[in-house]
Amino acid sequence: MKALCWHGTGDVRVETVPDPILEDPKDAIIKITSTAICGSDLHLYDGYMPTMEEGDVLGHENMGEVVEVGSVVKNLKVGDRVVVPFNIACGKCFFCKNEMFSLCDRSNPNAEMAKKAMGHSPSGLFGYSHMLGGFWGGQAEYLRVPYADVGPLKLSNGMPDEKVLFLSDIFPTGYMAAENCRIQEGDTVAIWGCGPVGQFAIKSAWMLGAGRVIAIDNVQERLVLAATEGGAETINFDDVDVYDALMEMTDGRGPDSCMDAVGCEAHAGGTLDGTLDAVKTTAYLATDRPHVLRQAIWACRKGGTISIPGVYVGFGDKIPIGAAMGKGLTIKQGQTHTHKYMPMLLEKIENNEIDPSFVITHEVPLDDAPEAYEMFKNKEDGCIKVVLKP
Ligand SMILES: NC(=O)c1ccc[n+]([C@@H]2O[C@H](COP(=O)([O-])OP(=O)(O)OC[C@H]3O[C@@H](n4cnc5c(N)ncnc54)[C@H](O)[C@@H]3O)[C@@H](O)[C@H]2O)c1
Ligand SMILES: [Zn+2]
Ligand SMILES: [Zn+2]
């Protein structure tokens, strides 16, 4: 089959690789009909994520048609149309039973590698390094789905792929990130990053009762989308000091919750901490650039909440943990427990409360994926979200 393979920093290629086969009776194989490029894929593309290997197939936002099922799979049959969560979960361990699917204890065959880096292993992920399972992703013609009875969400309606594809990741991610803000009716929520995750976080913050949403970025079309589609007030961090702007907008008190929907590759212009991060990551003295997290902790009101859906991969330097302590902040973060949110968010789509396709700016054949990665990374041609068609 054709698949998008990782070959190192800034180097992805569409190649012919062996078709996936059933490796376990609990597996299913799906033929991909739509798959998206995520901001998380950029961390791989930019070489931030350890334990990637040449030839790894990328892609964790996947949907398609079931073409083969293992002998013990009960919930799926050939021909079913499914959207697949980006995390792989067994459905039976302590963490799965408690709806912490991204922390599944059994789905990462390389758990020992992850333990060395984190103390314990999170779940396996599609197309996201060997430390997280070494599973091939779905930016390909076919995908092997482990624990097929647990993850894939069956679609019985005729809704187009574009409306349901993002149940695989960014819609649940935005929603859980907003939940992690612990929003009280009328709260002010500030969201750093107006990428696809930020856009869904904005919508979700309203759903959960926010009174004001303030969105921060420096990419004009993303700020415009946050304002028009999302109804957010916006701050362009190129134009103003973010802390000063937020204080002015909240009478000096600070937002009730602050969300970092940017993660380890924050842009920091000529700021002192940003320059330090740039020097340290270039010299391999640091792994992440936590400029946004610092700013969020600094700006959040006393007793407020920090929500971090943005991905960090290693050790964050100069995080103002003293300010977080002194101000009594609550910090919540993590990979999304996607399985938990999919049915409920599908219902919102079916009820026309939201049409997730609003973030899509480009739809291209899988063959054009390498150019699409470059365009998405550099935010060329107004690119906000790319859907690939194998
Ligand atoms: N927790 C999860 O399960 C999960 C799931 C999906 C994505 N993610 C992560 O969420 C983050 C966002 O994903 P995305 O797809 O929206 O990515 P994206 O790269 O499209 O968006 C990131 C946005 O942040 C903006 N940004 C950069 N520096 C900034 C700064 N200093 N202040 C404000 N904004 C700044 C960029 O301009 C960009 O618009 C990524 O780190 C991704 O890995 C996490
Ligand atoms: Zn993703
Ligand atoms: Zn489990």
Side-chain angles (χ1 to χ4, degrees):
M1 65 168 182
K2 273 196 291 190
L4 184 85
C5 302
W6 186 91
H7 282 279
T9 304
D11 185 0
V12 290
R13 305 175 203 162
V14 177
E15 293 174 332
T16 302
V17 301
D19 286 355
I21 54 166
L22 298 172
E23 293 177 18
D24 183 284
K26 298 188 286 301
D27 290 352
I29 306 289
I30 69 167
K31 183 178 180 358
I32 298 287
T33 54
S34 295
T35 174
I37 307 178
C38 179
S40 298
D41 291 323
L42 293 181
H43 306 319
L44 310 176
Y45 188 65
D46 294 339
Y48 272 75
M49 187 73 198
T51 74
M52 290 294 293
E53 289 176 17
E54 272 217 70
D56 284 348
V57 177
L58 303 187
H60 59 268
E61 302 188 353
N62 304 311
M63 68 178 294
E65 190 189 311
V66 177
V67 291
E68 228 184 315
V69 291
S71 58
V72 302
V73 174
K74 292 196 172 59
N75 295 342
L76 294 184
K77 58 178 191 324
V78 171
D80 281 345
R81 196 170 161 242
V82 290
V83 52
V84 183
F86 75 95
N87 3 56
I88 300 168
C90 77
K92 291 199 171 133
C93 71
F94 166 85
F95 298 94
C96 287
K97 279 189 186 147
N98 286 287
E99 297 191 309
M100 294 183 274
F101 296 97
S102 72
L103 304 176
C104 174
D105 233 356
R106 293 161 68 188
S107 62
N108 182 1
N110 299 333
E112 285 306 317
M113 272 164 99
K115 265 188 189 170
K116 284 198 185 115
M118 299 179 227
H120 298 90
S121 173
S123 78
L125 301 183
F126 287 105
Y128 219 77
S129 85
H130 286 261
M131 185 168 81
L132 297 176
F135 296 98
W136 276 9
Q139 288 167 7
E141 289 178 296
Y142 295 93
L143 174 72
R144 176 175 81 91
V145 182
Y147 299 105
D149 269 340
V150 183
L153 179 73
K154 255 194 288 191
L155 303 159
S156 50
N157 49 57
M159 258 192 285
D161 282 16
E162 288 70 14
K163 273 195 169 182
V164 285
L165 173 62
F166 303 136
L167 289 168
S168 60
D169 179 350
I170 53 175
F171 186 13
T173 293
Y175 194 88
M176 182 169 122
E179 247 185 24
N180 279 347
C181 285
R182 308 193 308 159
I183 297 168
Q184 302 292 306
E185 202 63 37
D187 269 4
T188 297
V189 180
I191 298 175
W192 277 252
C194 297
V197 169
Q199 300 291 342
F200 281 104
I202 293 168
K203 295 246 184 208
S204 303
W206 292 122
M207 289 173 188
L208 291 165
R212 281 178 88 183
V213 180
I214 303 171
I216 304 153
D217 207 303
N218 70 339
V219 180
Q220 196 52 30
E221 61 273 12
R222 294 180 178 216
L223 288 167
V224 167
L225 191 68
T228 52
E229 266 290 331
E233 299 164 63
T234 59
I235 295 175
N236 185 328
F237 68 80
D238 278 345
D239 297 344
V240 293
D241 180 88
V242 174
Y243 173 85
D244 290 348
L246 285 171
M247 292 315 118
E248 199 173 308
M249 293 163 95
T250 58
D251 295 326
R253 193 156 109 144
D256 299 292
S257 50
C258 288
M259 184 192 298
D260 173 355
V262 179
C264 62
E265 295 187 67
H267 298 289
T271 57
L272 180 62
D273 68 306
T275 309
L276 261 178
D277 286 344
V279 170
K280 286 197 150 183
T281 48
T282 311
Y284 298 103
L285 292 170
T287 53
D288 302 71
R289 307 195 316 244
H291 174 70
V292 162
L293 181 54
R294 295 186 193 110
Q295 224 168 38
I297 291 175
W298 213 248
C300 193
R301 80 148 160 81
K302 292 184 281 183
T305 306
I306 306 289
S307 162
I308 317 174
V311 163
Y312 287 93
V313 298
F315 298 92
D317 197 24
K318 306 214 165 25
I319 310 278
I321 196 72
M325 168 71 194
K327 298 204 292 180
L329 303 184
T330 298
I331 300 179
K332 291 178 74 74
Q333 64 185 125
Q335 295 280 8
T336 305
H337 305 307
T338 319
H339 302 54
K340 172 179 169 186
Y341 297 94
M342 291 172 89
M344 183 257 295
L345 296 180
L346 173 63
E347 229 175 272
K348 288 192 188 291
I349 300 170
E350 287 172 339
N351 296 339
N352 288 319
E353 287 172 57
I354 180 168
D355 175 357
S357 64
F358 78 96
V359 290
I360 301 173
T361 50
H362 294 75
E363 211 167 279
V364 303
L366 178 65
D367 282 328
D368 296 349
E371 294 78 31
Y373 265 76
E374 201 53 26
M375 171 179 68
F376 177 51
K377 172 185 156 67
N378 297 324
K379 300 168 183 75
E380 291 155 2
D381 196 27
C383 183
I384 296 178
K385 188 77 179 175
V386 184
V387 175
L388 302 171
K389 294 283 185 180

